[in-house]
Structure formats: C-alpha cells, structure tokens
Amino acid sequence: MKRRTGQDRAITQRWRPATQAVRGGTARSEFGETSEALFLTSGYAYDCAEDAAARFRGDQVGMTYSRLQNPTVEMLEQRVALMEGTEAARATATGMAAMTAALLCQLQTGDHVVAGRAAFGSCRWLVDTLLPKFGIGATVVDARDPQAFIDATRPETKIYFFETPANPTMDIVDLAAVCRIARERGIVSVVDNAFATPALQRPVEFGADVVAHSATKMMDGQGRVLAGVVCGTEDFINNTLLPFHRNTGPTLSPFNAWVVLKGLETLDLRIRRQSENSLKVGRFLEGRVPRILHPGLASHPQHNLAMSQMEAAGSIFAFEVDGGREQAHGLLDALTLIDISNNIGDSRSLMTHPSSTTHSGVDEAKRLEMGVTEGMLRINVGLEDPQDLIDDLDQALRKVGL
Ligand SMILES: *Cc1c(COP(=O)(O)O)cnc(C)c1O
C-alpha cells in the first residue's frame, strides 16, 4: 500500500473538507487503482514465522487480523478524521456501536454523564437504561440551555453527550458554549454529528473532544449499509477507544467501509442539494401546518445559532399536525411519492411518525418532555425535484383536511 508520491500528510491535511471527502486517506495498492480497493479479507499471511512474531510484538508495521486492522476500513477512518479535523478515527459496524464504544471505553462504575434529553431513541436507551446497570449515573438535561449542563455537573461527571441538531425535535446545542464548559471542568464532550456530518458542521472547531457518527445516514447517503465512526485525538483513539474496540469487536465490515467511501465522494454535493430542497419543502409547509421545526427557517427559535455553527441546515426537519396520531398516520398513508420510512440521510425522501416508531421505546412522559408529540412527523428530504415533493405533500395534506 502506498500513498501517491508527494501525497504526504503535510499537504493532504491542508485540503478542505470537500476535497478530503473525495481523496482523503486514499492508499493505493501496487496496481495504482483510482477508486479505492476493497480488501474483503479477515486475515493476513506472513512471509516467515519471525515476521508474524515481530508484528504481534509491534516491531513491524502491518496487518494481523481484520478485527484489528483492514486497509479499506483504514482508508475510511483516515478520510473521516481528515474531514472532521481530528487526529484519528475508528470505524464501527453501526452508529450505535460508535456511540456505545465512545461512552463505555472511558467510563467506569461511579462515574456520571450529563446527556441531552432530545436524542435518537437508542442513545436515550444507552443513557437511561444501560449506563445505570453498570453503576454509572446519568442526568438528562434540556441541551438548548448551556447552563443546564453546569447545573447537572457533579464532581464525578466524566462526559457530556449530546447531538445537534437533535433527533427528531431539531433542538440546537450551542457547541462553543457547552464544549467550553466541559473543557473548563476537565469533562470530555462527546458530540453525535450524524445529522450535519463534517460537510456542514465540524464540532472540534468549537472545542468538542470526541465526535461520533452514524455513517448509515448522510455519509452512505443512499440507504445501503450501516456504519459508524468515532473521531478524536490520537491519544484518545489509540489508548482509550482502541483497547475497548479491538477486544469487544464492533468492527466495520470492509465491504460496508468501501460503500461508505463511495458515498463520501458525493457527500458535499448531496447534502447541499438536499439542504436546499429541504428549505423549499419547509417553506411550503410553513404556511400549511400549525408548527414546523426547521433550523434553516427564521421561525426556528434557534435559527441564528444553527446558522452560526452549520454551513446549511441539512436534509431533515420536523413538523406537527393538530390531530394527533390519527391525523399524522393519515397524512403518511396518503403519500404517493415520499416513502413511509424511519431512516434518514437517504437520497430518497422519507417520512416517519417518531412517537410510534423511532421513539416508541422511550416512555410517553419522557417523549413529551423531549417534545416528541403524537402529532409530530419527521421528514428527510431527498434529491427528487422539490416541486414533486411539494405536490405530494399538498395532495396528502388535503386528504387529511389540512
Ligand atoms: C441513526 C442515528 C444513530 C444510530 O445509528 P445506526 O447506524 O442506526 O446504529 C445515532 N444517532 C443519531 C443522531 C442517528 O440519527
């Protein structure tokens, strides 16, 4: 494996994220292929027994086993690290594997975590159910208010964990303020950057320590594979995350890593077009539904904050109808183009009713506290012609009397 002659890190590190998305981390084999090679192998052979021994001692560079290293997976890890602006990254089998590993690798019994209450359903399960089983305390707060993190912090607090924009309420967290509060107290900030991706928002520029991803969403972007990535300093990735990751094994398949590498090549294009389409659909809905939560619209209470930390608002937003679950389900059933699907980040437009799907595992009181009402719908706006999406929503809204 070689980098192109002259492609040393000093040069490649200076490339901007859109260039990194296409070229970052590329390592070519002896054949000089332009598109990244797929190394679909679980193991590696050695020229002699002493080479194997040297590699296991760490005296010889090289791969030993694909739970530990794989050339295709490494290309993805380096590319995402370069895009996020972190020293290193580690890929995982899913976004949830990334979140679980990012938290558990640095926690032990007696520690405490402060987490944003508006979060992906499984992230709430980690915080509310898994961590307490191991004697790790957790307090969930309204992450829109930086002061709430200060108030919830205890002497044993180790991590602040939150996502921005948050799923599905589109709450925005003030990255600079919350990451500063964490730094001042020696607390590690772990930011779930799945909605924005580094193409729109780079949390380390605002002081975040660890950035975790569901690469299943915008990074793959075409609804094909599950994947996750954890980004951080070399010290964090190599000395804190790696021992946990290598021995517990939430490793990403080389095939899925290759698919995400292909997805990243078009990430910048897709996310910008999908953000534009999402704004057009949002502007149409703004006059038709009682409430819309779109960070790109001036009606969002944190619109200015969102636009100060994101380059565009992204593909996803939420809105509410007054008629509760019945009207929300009726609207979904009346759609003829937009799919009923709980996935996001796809190039296809998808719509879901969070309280009966993605957030059905969160009990009702917690759902309402997060702002996930029975009339809330979440839409991922894809790459279709936005006028066709508007036409579809228009006829579906009429069918439910809106
Ligand atoms: C989807 C998602 C996850 C989980 O990712 P998977 O790849 O489905 O495991 C975590 N956080 C957020 C914000 C997500 O949207």
Side-chain angles (χ1 to χ4, degrees), residues 178-221:
V178 175
C179 295
R180 185 180 345 104
I181 293 164
R183 284 267 161 104
E184 284 166 2
R185 290 161 178 74
I187 292 164
V188 178
S189 49
V190 177
V191 181
D192 178 344
N193 199 26
F195 269 41
T197 82
L200 298 184
Q201 170 176 278
R202 287 171 293 283
V204 291
E205 290 176 0
F206 299 90
D209 298 306
V210 176
V211 181
H213 279 284
S214 169
T216 313
K217 310 296 168 55
M218 284 303 311
M219 287 189 174
D220 168 36

Side-chain angles (χ1 to χ4, degrees), residues 293-312:
L293 296 156
H294 192 314
L297 294 174
S299 59
H300 189 287
Q302 297 170 289
H303 171 65
N304 291 339
L305 174 64
M307 292 301 100
S308 72
Q309 48 191 42
M310 299 170 76
E311 287 180 32

Side-chain angles (χ1 to χ4, degrees), residues 93-97 99 120 122-123 163 165 167 192 194-195 213-217 226-228 343-344 378:
T94 65
M96 283 321 302
M99 304 305 153
F120 186 70
S122 294
C123 292
E163 57 193 59
N167 188 358
D192 178 344
F195 269 41
H213 279 284
S214 169
T216 313
K217 310 296 168 55
L226 296 162
N343 198 9
I344 49 172
R378 186 194 68 195

Side-chain angles (χ1 to χ4, degrees), residues 77-95:
E77 291 168 342
Q78 291 195 15
R79 183 167 298 178
V80 176
L82 286 160
M83 291 174 71
E84 280 291 1
T86 59
E87 289 170 359
R90 188 77 178 169
T92 54
T94 65

